[in-house]
Amino acid sequence: MFSKRVVNVGNLAIGGHNRVFVQSMLNRPSEDVKANLIQAKELEEAGCEIIRVSIPNEESVATLFALKNNFSCPIVADIHFDYKMAVESVYAGADKIRINPGNIGNKEHLGLIVAACSEKKIPIRIGVNSGSIPAYILKTMGRTPDGLVAAVQDYVRLLNNLDFDNIIISVKSSDVIETIKAYTLLAGHCDHPLHLGVTEAGTFDVGVIKSAIGIGALLANNIGDTIRVSLTEDPVKEIEVALNVLKSLGLRKGLDIISCPTCGRTKINIKNIVDNLRQALDKYGLLDANLKIAVMGCVVNGPGEAKEADFGIAGGNGEGVIFKDGKVIKKVQEEHMVDELVDLIILMQTGRVKQ
Ligand code: SF4
């Protein structure tokens, strides 16, 4: 969406004014074709738009091949150290190769990867992380944002010297501030699409926060074209978080349930109501509806505080109100609040009453 240049990855155009795409990575054993196909299906259903798979050996190329035959979304081969795996992945149908040219061997090997990618017209993502800055740069710049950017710029030059510029770049750090600084610096120096992420962000509790801050700050500054939230978790969770980051920044449409933090005035169980509402909306296929719905704890402040919501409910003592665009339209018993709200949403969205 934000870089000046557009790079095609499978059926997606990345960069320019295109939207920001969500990526995740399979974490089943690379040789286990069946397990990877099952996980890829889960990711696709969760909303993953680009699937990356690591290719450490010959057996895993079969996994890549099977993924390509079963999914229409782009499949990215992640290669470390072995140029042959990169070349084989290209001919097995990979839509993009992710390498760190610093660990792929000599220039001749890099040249073979570039020749294969040129022939098949697929891009290379140059991915340098804070842990993989080459020694000659570490010596002068250390593990810094400048070091990350200098390393990646050297690798871009290497590929450019091989007459290849079909490139996407990432400069992830496990430090949030370094990540933000490195990408910001890089965005000022190149027009290639950028893949964003905070690497090794950790388990769900801290990883979500680090990723939301790092990726969110960059996207809010119009930097970034694809994102990956890296969590020590089921990758399906990465997609949920990534989509929530994009929705929070207005970069994706979809259901947004807002709810008040509760206070001493609250007489209803807001959390249960939100859970019940989400379940009810799911039942009627409305989880992707482009709606903002508010669940507020009191009638006094709720409708006013949430007037930007399309619909809402505010609870009282045993009863509450349903409101639309900040205006109260109906008083309801607490136990019927969710049902009545969902009835109204279905009526307004489809013109029909609930079946
Ligand atoms: S909406 Fe009402 S209950 Fe919720 S935090 Fe605000 S004042 Fe408290």
Side-chain angles (χ1 to χ4, degrees):
M1 180 173 183
F2 300 119
S3 69
K4 293 188 192 85
R5 198 185 288 219
V6 176
V7 165
N8 292 314
V9 180
N11 54 6
L12 301 182
I14 290 171
H17 292 290
N18 294 296
R19 68 177 178 164
V20 176
F21 292 103
V22 173
Q23 181 176 146
S24 185
M25 190 163 179
L26 301 167
N27 66 0
R28 298 289 181 248
S30 304
E31 312 77 32
D32 191 335
V33 175
K34 195 172 166 206
N36 279 288
L37 288 176
I38 290 169
Q39 192 174 49
K41 184 83 193 144
E42 291 166 2
L43 282 175
E44 187 188 50
E45 283 171 2
C48 183
E49 294 161 314
I50 302 171
I51 296 177
R52 183 151 54 112
V53 57
S54 49
I55 308 294
N57 50 37
E58 293 276 350
E59 293 76 29
S60 51
V61 178
T63 302
L64 170 65
F65 192 71
L67 288 166
K68 276 300 298 172
N69 281 328
N70 285 277
F71 293 89
S72 57
C73 71
I75 307 292
V76 180
D78 191 273
I79 318 286
H80 286 278
F81 306 111
D82 192 344
Y83 78 96
K84 287 190 210 132
M85 291 305 105
V87 173
E88 284 194 27
S89 296
V90 174
Y91 292 113
D95 296 298
K96 181 173 73 172
I97 298 290
R98 183 265 162 156
I99 56 169
N100 172 355
N103 72 24
I104 216 73
N106 55 38
K107 277 189 192 163
E108 192 192 329
H109 292 164
L110 190 61
L112 291 170
I113 299 174
V114 166
C117 291
S118 297
E119 184 193 330
K120 291 292 179 187
K121 296 190 171 47
I122 67 163
I124 293 176
R125 167 155 72 89
I126 302 174
V128 180
N129 293 351
S130 48
S132 60
I133 298 174
Y136 72 93
I137 287 179
L138 278 181
K139 233 187 257 173
T140 51
M141 296 185 174
R143 219 173 289 286
T144 60
D146 293 281
L148 270 168
V149 173
V152 106
Q153 284 179 317
D154 277 1
Y155 294 144
V156 170
R157 269 191 290 275
L158 259 181
L159 294 193
N160 285 168
N161 288 340
L162 293 165
D163 210 15
F164 190 89
D165 203 26
N166 193 10
I167 294 169
I168 293 175
I169 300 175
S170 63
V171 281
K172 301 177 185 179
S173 167
S174 53
D175 181 280
V176 174
I177 299 297
E178 267 187 22
T179 301
I180 295 171
K181 283 185 177 167
Y183 277 103
T184 305
L185 190 62
L186 184 62
H189 283 90
C190 80
D191 62 0
H192 296 92
L194 300 181
H195 169 69
L196 304 184
V198 176
T199 193
E200 293 125 23
T203 49
F204 192 83
D205 47 356
V206 286
V208 167
I209 293 171
K210 286 186 190 176
S211 298
I213 294 172
I215 295 171
L218 289 162
L219 290 176
N221 276 322
N222 291 348
I223 296 170
D225 303 282
T226 60
I227 64 172
R228 187 214 173 174
V229 171
S230 300
L231 299 175
T232 312
E233 249 296 352
D234 182 339
V236 167
K237 291 272 181 207
E238 296 186 350
I239 302 303
E240 288 168 17
V241 176
L243 290 171
N244 281 333
V245 169
L246 293 179
K247 278 188 205 166
S248 303
L249 291 164
L251 295 172
R252 279 297 166 98
K253 295 194 162 115
L255 183 67
D256 186 10
I257 300 181
I258 59 172
S259 54
C260 80
T262 75
C263 71
R265 287 192 184 89
T266 320
K267 299 268 191 295
I268 55 172
N269 188 328
I270 297 280
K271 188 166 180 319
N272 280 355
I273 291 175
V274 170
D275 290 344
N276 292 340
L277 177 62
R278 197 180 294 279
Q279 271 174 23
L281 292 169
D282 189 17
K283 187 173 158 197
Y284 294 102
L286 287 165
L287 278 190
D288 291 328
N290 189 24
L291 287 175
K292 186 178 252 193
I293 304 174
V295 179
M296 307 297 279
C298 71
V299 178
V300 190
N301 290 343
E305 279 185 25
K307 54 172 167 294
E308 82 278 13
D310 299 299
F311 298 95
I313 39 184
N317 202 356
E319 61 176 18
V321 296
I322 292 179
F323 55 93
K324 185 175 175 307
D325 303 318
K327 293 204 177 68
V328 173
I329 56 172
K330 198 172 185 185
K331 221 179 201 184
V332 280
Q333 290 302 304
E334 186 184 328
E335 63 269 29
H336 301 309
M337 277 198 314
V338 168
D339 280 348
E340 295 237 10
L341 177 64
V342 172
D343 285 352
L344 177 68
I345 292 170
I346 290 173
L347 184 65
M348 303 299 285
Q349 292 288 103
T350 66
R352 283 188 296 244
V353 289
K354 196 170 75 187
Q355 295 298 306

Short mmCIF file of all heavy atoms in Angstrom, two decimals, residues 197-253:
data_model
loop_
_atom_site.label_atom_id
_atom_site.label_comp_id
_atom_site.label_asym_id
_atom_site.label_seq_id
_atom_site.Cartn_x
_atom_site.Cartn_y
_atom_site.Cartn_z
N GLY A 197 7.67 -6.66 10.53
CA GLY A 197 7.47 -7.56 11.66
C GLY A 197 8.47 -7.24 12.75
O GLY A 197 9.53 -6.67 12.50
N VAL A 198 8.08 -7.61 13.97
CA VAL A 198 9.03 -7.58 15.09
C VAL A 198 9.41 -9.03 15.29
O VAL A 198 8.54 -9.86 15.56
CB VAL A 198 8.37 -7.00 16.36
CG1 VAL A 198 9.34 -7.07 17.54
CG2 VAL A 198 7.89 -5.59 16.13
N THR A 199 10.68 -9.34 15.12
CA THR A 199 11.05 -10.76 15.15
C THR A 199 11.18 -11.26 16.59
O THR A 199 11.45 -10.48 17.50
CB THR A 199 12.35 -11.00 14.35
OG1 THR A 199 12.51 -12.39 14.14
CG2 THR A 199 13.59 -10.45 15.04
N GLU A 200 10.96 -12.55 16.74
CA GLU A 200 11.05 -13.19 18.07
C GLU A 200 10.31 -12.37 19.12
O GLU A 200 10.83 -12.08 20.20
CB GLU A 200 12.52 -13.35 18.48
CG GLU A 200 13.28 -14.33 17.62
CD GLU A 200 14.55 -13.73 17.00
OE1 GLU A 200 15.06 -12.75 17.54
OE2 GLU A 200 14.99 -14.24 15.97
N ALA A 201 9.08 -11.99 18.78
CA ALA A 201 8.32 -11.10 19.68
C ALA A 201 7.91 -11.81 20.97
O ALA A 201 7.58 -11.15 21.96
CB ALA A 201 7.10 -10.56 18.95
N GLY A 202 7.91 -13.14 20.96
CA GLY A 202 7.65 -13.86 22.21
C GLY A 202 6.29 -14.53 22.24
O GLY A 202 5.64 -14.73 21.22
N THR A 203 5.88 -14.87 23.45
CA THR A 203 4.59 -15.56 23.62
C THR A 203 3.44 -14.55 23.45
O THR A 203 3.67 -13.34 23.36
CB THR A 203 4.51 -16.21 25.01
OG1 THR A 203 4.90 -15.22 25.97
CG2 THR A 203 5.44 -17.41 25.11
N PHE A 204 2.23 -15.08 23.44
CA PHE A 204 1.08 -14.27 23.06
C PHE A 204 0.99 -12.95 23.85
O PHE A 204 0.83 -11.88 23.26
CB PHE A 204 -0.20 -15.08 23.25
CG PHE A 204 -1.40 -14.44 22.63
CD1 PHE A 204 -1.67 -14.60 21.28
CD2 PHE A 204 -2.25 -13.65 23.39
CE1 PHE A 204 -2.76 -13.99 20.69
CE2 PHE A 204 -3.35 -13.04 22.81
CZ PHE A 204 -3.61 -13.21 21.47
N ASP A 205 1.11 -13.05 25.17
CA ASP A 205 0.87 -11.86 26.00
C ASP A 205 1.79 -10.69 25.66
O ASP A 205 1.33 -9.56 25.45
CB ASP A 205 0.97 -12.21 27.50
CG ASP A 205 2.20 -13.05 27.83
OD1 ASP A 205 2.95 -13.43 26.90
OD2 ASP A 205 2.43 -13.32 29.03
N VAL A 206 3.08 -10.94 25.55
CA VAL A 206 4.00 -9.83 25.23
C VAL A 206 4.14 -9.63 23.72
O VAL A 206 4.30 -8.51 23.24
CB VAL A 206 5.40 -10.02 25.85
CG1 VAL A 206 5.41 -9.77 27.31
CG2 VAL A 206 5.99 -11.37 25.52
N GLY A 207 4.08 -10.73 22.99
CA GLY A 207 4.28 -10.65 21.54
C GLY A 207 3.24 -9.80 20.84
O GLY A 207 3.54 -9.06 19.90
N VAL A 208 2.00 -9.89 21.30
CA VAL A 208 0.92 -9.09 20.71
C VAL A 208 1.23 -7.60 20.90
O VAL A 208 1.09 -6.79 19.97
CB VAL A 208 -0.43 -9.44 21.38
CG1 VAL A 208 -1.48 -8.41 21.02
CG2 VAL A 208 -0.88 -10.82 20.95
N ILE A 209 1.68 -7.27 22.09
CA ILE A 209 1.93 -5.84 22.38
C ILE A 209 3.11 -5.33 21.56
O ILE A 209 3.04 -4.28 20.91
CB ILE A 209 2.15 -5.64 23.89
CG1 ILE A 209 0.83 -5.93 24.60
CG2 ILE A 209 2.63 -4.23 24.20
CD1 ILE A 209 0.92 -5.97 26.09
N LYS A 210 4.20 -6.10 21.56
CA LYS A 210 5.37 -5.67 20.79
C LYS A 210 5.02 -5.52 19.31
O LYS A 210 5.42 -4.55 18.66
CB LYS A 210 6.50 -6.70 20.93
CG LYS A 210 7.19 -6.68 22.27
CD LYS A 210 8.38 -7.63 22.20
CE LYS A 210 8.99 -7.85 23.56
NZ LYS A 210 10.07 -8.84 23.51
N SER A 211 4.31 -6.50 18.79
CA SER A 211 3.97 -6.46 17.36
C SER A 211 3.02 -5.31 17.05
O SER A 211 3.19 -4.61 16.05
CB SER A 211 3.31 -7.78 16.93
OG SER A 211 4.22 -8.84 17.12
N ALA A 212 2.03 -5.13 17.91
CA ALA A 212 1.05 -4.05 17.66
C ALA A 212 1.75 -2.69 17.69
O ALA A 212 1.48 -1.83 16.84
CB ALA A 212 -0.07 -4.11 18.69
N ILE A 213 2.66 -2.52 18.62
CA ILE A 213 3.35 -1.23 18.70
C ILE A 213 4.29 -1.07 17.50
O ILE A 213 4.27 -0.04 16.81
CB ILE A 213 4.15 -1.10 20.02
CG1 ILE A 213 3.20 -1.07 21.22
CG2 ILE A 213 5.00 0.17 20.01
CD1 ILE A 213 3.88 -1.14 22.57
N GLY A 214 5.12 -2.07 17.26
CA GLY A 214 6.12 -1.95 16.20
C GLY A 214 5.49 -1.83 14.82
O GLY A 214 5.74 -0.87 14.08
N ILE A 215 4.64 -2.81 14.48
CA ILE A 215 4.00 -2.80 13.16
C ILE A 215 3.04 -1.62 13.05
O ILE A 215 2.99 -0.91 12.04
CB ILE A 215 3.25 -4.13 12.91
CG1 ILE A 215 4.26 -5.29 12.86
CG2 ILE A 215 2.43 -4.08 11.64
CD1 ILE A 215 3.63 -6.68 12.84
N GLY A 216 2.29 -1.40 14.15
CA GLY A 216 1.28 -0.33 14.13
C GLY A 216 1.90 1.05 13.94
O GLY A 216 1.40 1.85 13.15
N ALA A 217 3.00 1.31 14.62
CA ALA A 217 3.64 2.63 14.50
C ALA A 217 4.09 2.86 13.06
O ALA A 217 3.95 3.96 12.52
CB ALA A 217 4.83 2.73 15.46
N LEU A 218 4.64 1.82 12.44
CA LEU A 218 5.12 1.97 11.06
C LEU A 218 3.97 2.16 10.10
O LEU A 218 3.99 3.07 9.26
CB LEU A 218 5.96 0.74 10.69
CG LEU A 218 7.32 0.69 11.40
CD1 LEU A 218 7.91 -0.71 11.35
CD2 LEU A 218 8.28 1.71 10.78
N LEU A 219 2.93 1.33 10.22
CA LEU A 219 1.79 1.46 9.31
C LEU A 219 1.12 2.83 9.47
O LEU A 219 0.68 3.43 8.50
CB LEU A 219 0.77 0.35 9.57
CG LEU A 219 1.18 -1.07 9.16
CD1 LEU A 219 0.10 -2.07 9.57
CD2 LEU A 219 1.43 -1.17 7.66
N ALA A 220 1.06 3.30 10.74
CA ALA A 220 0.45 4.61 10.97
C ALA A 220 1.24 5.71 10.27
O ALA A 220 0.70 6.78 9.97
CB ALA A 220 0.37 4.88 12.47
N ASN A 221 2.52 5.45 10.00
CA ASN A 221 3.35 6.41 9.27
C ASN A 221 3.50 6.04 7.80
O ASN A 221 4.46 6.46 7.14
CB ASN A 221 4.74 6.50 9.91
CG ASN A 221 4.73 7.45 11.09
OD1 ASN A 221 4.08 8.48 11.05
ND2 ASN A 221 5.43 7.08 12.14
N ASN A 222 2.55 5.26 7.31
CA ASN A 222 2.52 4.89 5.89
C ASN A 222 3.75 4.08 5.45
O ASN A 222 4.19 4.19 4.31
CB ASN A 222 2.40 6.13 4.99
CG ASN A 222 1.05 6.78 5.12
OD1 ASN A 222 0.15 6.18 5.71
ND2 ASN A 222 0.91 7.97 4.59
N ILE A 223 4.29 3.29 6.36
CA ILE A 223 5.42 2.42 6.01
C ILE A 223 4.97 0.97 6.15
O ILE A 223 4.46 0.58 7.22
CB ILE A 223 6.63 2.70 6.92
CG1 ILE A 223 7.15 4.12 6.71
CG2 ILE A 223 7.74 1.67 6.68
CD1 ILE A 223 8.19 4.56 7.72
N GLY A 224 5.16 0.17 5.10
CA GLY A 224 4.86 -1.25 5.19
C GLY A 224 3.84 -1.70 4.16
O GLY A 224 2.86 -0.98 3.89
N ASP A 225 4.08 -2.88 3.59
CA ASP A 225 3.20 -3.40 2.53
C ASP A 225 2.68 -4.79 2.83
O ASP A 225 1.62 -5.18 2.34
CB ASP A 225 3.97 -3.40 1.21
CG ASP A 225 4.48 -2.01 0.89
OD1 ASP A 225 3.67 -1.19 0.43
OD2 ASP A 225 5.66 -1.71 1.14
N THR A 226 3.44 -5.58 3.61
CA THR A 226 2.94 -6.85 4.13
C THR A 226 3.37 -6.92 5.59
O THR A 226 4.35 -6.27 5.97
CB THR A 226 3.50 -8.08 3.37
OG1 THR A 226 4.92 -8.09 3.49
CG2 THR A 226 3.12 -8.06 1.91
N ILE A 227 2.63 -7.71 6.38
CA ILE A 227 3.00 -7.82 7.80
C ILE A 227 2.97 -9.27 8.26
O ILE A 227 2.19 -10.08 7.75
CB ILE A 227 2.08 -6.98 8.73
CG1 ILE A 227 0.62 -7.49 8.70
CG2 ILE A 227 2.11 -5.53 8.33
CD1 ILE A 227 -0.27 -6.82 9.75
N ARG A 228 3.84 -9.56 9.21
CA ARG A 228 3.72 -10.83 9.92
C ARG A 228 3.87 -10.56 11.43
O ARG A 228 4.84 -9.93 11.86
CB ARG A 228 4.80 -11.81 9.51
CG ARG A 228 4.52 -13.18 10.16
CD ARG A 228 5.72 -13.95 10.51
NE ARG A 228 5.37 -15.14 11.27
CZ ARG A 228 6.23 -16.06 11.62
NH1 ARG A 228 7.49 -15.96 11.24
NH2 ARG A 228 5.86 -17.08 12.35
N VAL A 229 2.90 -11.03 12.18
CA VAL A 229 2.99 -10.97 13.63
C VAL A 229 3.65 -12.28 14.06
O VAL A 229 3.08 -13.34 13.86
CB VAL A 229 1.58 -10.82 14.25
CG1 VAL A 229 1.63 -10.99 15.75
CG2 VAL A 229 0.97 -9.49 13.86
N SER A 230 4.85 -12.21 14.62
CA SER A 230 5.58 -13.44 15.01
C SER A 230 5.29 -13.77 16.46
O SER A 230 5.67 -13.01 17.35
CB SER A 230 7.09 -13.23 14.87
OG SER A 230 7.43 -12.93 13.56
N LEU A 231 4.61 -14.87 16.69
CA LEU A 231 4.29 -15.27 18.07
C LEU A 231 4.73 -16.70 18.33
O LEU A 231 4.67 -17.54 17.41
CB LEU A 231 2.79 -15.18 18.32
CG LEU A 231 2.11 -13.83 18.16
CD1 LEU A 231 0.60 -13.98 18.33
CD2 LEU A 231 2.65 -12.83 19.18
N THR A 232 5.13 -16.99 19.53
CA THR A 232 5.37 -18.37 19.93
C THR A 232 4.00 -18.95 20.25
O THR A 232 3.57 -19.02 21.41
CB THR A 232 6.30 -18.42 21.17
OG1 THR A 232 7.41 -17.56 20.92
CG2 THR A 232 6.78 -19.84 21.45
N GLU A 233 3.28 -19.31 19.22
CA GLU A 233 1.85 -19.65 19.34
C GLU A 233 1.41 -20.39 18.09
O GLU A 233 2.17 -20.47 17.10
CB GLU A 233 1.04 -18.35 19.42
CG GLU A 233 0.38 -18.03 20.74
CD GLU A 233 -0.68 -19.03 21.15
OE1 GLU A 233 -1.02 -19.91 20.35
OE2 GLU A 233 -1.14 -18.96 22.29
N ASP A 234 0.21 -20.86 18.09
CA ASP A 234 -0.43 -21.34 16.87
C ASP A 234 -0.45 -20.18 15.87
O ASP A 234 -0.94 -19.09 16.20
CB ASP A 234 -1.86 -21.77 17.24
CG ASP A 234 -2.62 -22.33 16.05
OD1 ASP A 234 -2.23 -22.04 14.90
OD2 ASP A 234 -3.62 -23.03 16.28
N PRO A 235 0.06 -20.37 14.65
CA PRO A 235 0.09 -19.24 13.71
C PRO A 235 -1.28 -18.65 13.37
O PRO A 235 -1.37 -17.51 12.94
CB PRO A 235 0.77 -19.81 12.46
CG PRO A 235 0.95 -21.25 12.68
CD PRO A 235 0.77 -21.55 14.12
N VAL A 236 -2.35 -19.43 13.60
CA VAL A 236 -3.69 -18.88 13.38
C VAL A 236 -3.89 -17.64 14.26
O VAL A 236 -4.51 -16.66 13.86
CB VAL A 236 -4.77 -19.95 13.67
CG1 VAL A 236 -6.16 -19.33 13.77
CG2 VAL A 236 -4.75 -21.01 12.56
N LYS A 237 -3.30 -17.68 15.46
CA LYS A 237 -3.39 -16.52 16.37
C LYS A 237 -2.69 -15.32 15.76
O LYS A 237 -3.07 -14.17 15.98
CB LYS A 237 -2.75 -16.86 17.72
CG LYS A 237 -3.50 -17.87 18.51
CD LYS A 237 -4.54 -17.18 19.36
CE LYS A 237 -5.29 -18.20 20.17
NZ LYS A 237 -6.63 -17.76 20.52
N GLU A 238 -1.60 -15.57 15.02
CA GLU A 238 -0.87 -14.47 14.38
C GLU A 238 -1.78 -13.72 13.41
O GLU A 238 -1.72 -12.50 13.31
CB GLU A 238 0.34 -15.01 13.61
CG GLU A 238 1.38 -15.67 14.48
CD GLU A 238 2.63 -16.07 13.70
OE1 GLU A 238 2.62 -16.01 12.45
OE2 GLU A 238 3.61 -16.44 14.34
N ILE A 239 -2.62 -14.50 12.71
CA ILE A 239 -3.52 -13.88 11.73
C ILE A 239 -4.57 -13.03 12.44
O ILE A 239 -4.86 -11.90 12.02
CB ILE A 239 -4.20 -14.96 10.86
CG1 ILE A 239 -3.14 -15.81 10.15
CG2 ILE A 239 -5.15 -14.34 9.86
CD1 ILE A 239 -2.18 -15.04 9.29
N GLU A 240 -5.13 -13.58 13.52
CA GLU A 240 -6.14 -12.82 14.27
C GLU A 240 -5.57 -11.49 14.73
O GLU A 240 -6.19 -10.45 14.61
CB GLU A 240 -6.61 -13.63 15.50
CG GLU A 240 -7.49 -14.81 15.13
CD GLU A 240 -7.69 -15.76 16.31
OE1 GLU A 240 -7.44 -15.37 17.47
OE2 GLU A 240 -8.09 -16.92 16.06
N VAL A 241 -4.35 -11.55 15.27
CA VAL A 241 -3.72 -10.32 15.78
C VAL A 241 -3.42 -9.36 14.62
O VAL A 241 -3.70 -8.16 14.69
CB VAL A 241 -2.43 -10.65 16.56
CG1 VAL A 241 -1.73 -9.36 17.01
CG2 VAL A 241 -2.74 -11.53 17.76
N ALA A 242 -2.85 -9.91 13.54
CA ALA A 242 -2.50 -9.05 12.39
C ALA A 242 -3.73 -8.33 11.84
O ALA A 242 -3.69 -7.12 11.56
CB ALA A 242 -1.87 -9.91 11.29
N LEU A 243 -4.84 -9.08 11.72
CA LEU A 243 -6.06 -8.45 11.20
C LEU A 243 -6.59 -7.40 12.16
O LEU A 243 -7.08 -6.35 11.74
CB LEU A 243 -7.12 -9.52 10.90
CG LEU A 243 -6.79 -10.42 9.70
CD1 LEU A 243 -7.76 -11.60 9.59
CD2 LEU A 243 -6.81 -9.62 8.40
N ASN A 244 -6.47 -7.68 13.47
CA ASN A 244 -6.92 -6.67 14.44
C ASN A 244 -6.05 -5.41 14.38
O ASN A 244 -6.55 -4.30 14.55
CB ASN A 244 -6.92 -7.26 15.86
CG ASN A 244 -8.14 -8.12 16.09
OD1 ASN A 244 -9.18 -7.91 15.46
ND2 ASN A 244 -8.02 -9.10 16.96
N VAL A 245 -4.74 -5.59 14.14
CA VAL A 245 -3.86 -4.42 13.98
C VAL A 245 -4.33 -3.59 12.78
O VAL A 245 -4.50 -2.37 12.87
CB VAL A 245 -2.39 -4.86 13.80
CG1 VAL A 245 -1.51 -3.69 13.37
CG2 VAL A 245 -1.84 -5.47 15.10
N LEU A 246 -4.58 -4.28 11.67
CA LEU A 246 -5.00 -3.55 10.45
C LEU A 246 -6.36 -2.87 10.66
O LEU A 246 -6.56 -1.73 10.25
CB LEU A 246 -5.07 -4.51 9.26
CG LEU A 246 -3.73 -5.09 8.80
CD1 LEU A 246 -3.92 -6.04 7.62
CD2 LEU A 246 -2.76 -3.98 8.41
N LYS A 247 -7.29 -3.59 11.33
CA LYS A 247 -8.62 -2.98 11.57
C LYS A 247 -8.50 -1.77 12.49
O LYS A 247 -9.16 -0.76 12.29
CB LYS A 247 -9.55 -4.01 12.24
CG LYS A 247 -10.20 -4.97 11.26
CD LYS A 247 -11.23 -5.79 12.03
CE LYS A 247 -11.50 -7.11 11.39
NZ LYS A 247 -12.22 -8.03 12.27
N SER A 248 -7.63 -1.89 13.50
CA SER A 248 -7.47 -0.77 14.45
C SER A 248 -6.96 0.47 13.77
O SER A 248 -7.20 1.59 14.22
CB SER A 248 -6.49 -1.15 15.57
OG SER A 248 -6.93 -2.30 16.22
N LEU A 249 -6.21 0.28 12.66
CA LEU A 249 -5.65 1.43 11.95
C LEU A 249 -6.54 1.85 10.77
O LEU A 249 -6.16 2.71 9.98
CB LEU A 249 -4.25 1.08 11.42
CG LEU A 249 -3.19 0.91 12.51
CD1 LEU A 249 -1.97 0.19 11.96
CD2 LEU A 249 -2.78 2.27 13.07
N GLY A 250 -7.70 1.20 10.67
CA GLY A 250 -8.61 1.54 9.56
C GLY A 250 -8.12 1.02 8.22
O GLY A 250 -8.58 1.48 7.17
N LEU A 251 -7.19 0.05 8.24
CA LEU A 251 -6.65 -0.48 6.98
C LEU A 251 -7.42 -1.71 6.52
O LEU A 251 -7.16 -2.22 5.43
CB LEU A 251 -5.16 -0.81 7.15
CG LEU A 251 -4.27 0.40 7.41
CD1 LEU A 251 -2.85 -0.04 7.75
CD2 LEU A 251 -4.25 1.33 6.21
N ARG A 252 -8.29 -2.22 7.35
CA ARG A 252 -9.17 -3.32 6.96
C ARG A 252 -10.55 -3.02 7.50
O ARG A 252 -10.68 -2.52 8.63
CB ARG A 252 -8.71 -4.65 7.57
CG ARG A 252 -7.61 -5.33 6.84
CD ARG A 252 -8.00 -5.74 5.44
NE ARG A 252 -6.79 -6.08 4.71
CZ ARG A 252 -6.36 -7.32 4.54
NH1 ARG A 252 -7.03 -8.32 5.03
NH2 ARG A 252 -5.26 -7.54 3.87
N LYS A 253 -11.54 -3.38 6.70
CA LYS A 253 -12.91 -3.25 7.18
C LYS A 253 -13.28 -4.53 7.91
O LYS A 253 -12.59 -5.53 7.81
CB LYS A 253 -13.84 -3.00 6.01
CG LYS A 253 -13.53 -1.67 5.34
CD LYS A 253 -14.63 -1.27 4.44
CE LYS A 253 -14.50 0.20 4.15
NZ LYS A 253 -14.21 0.50 2.79
#
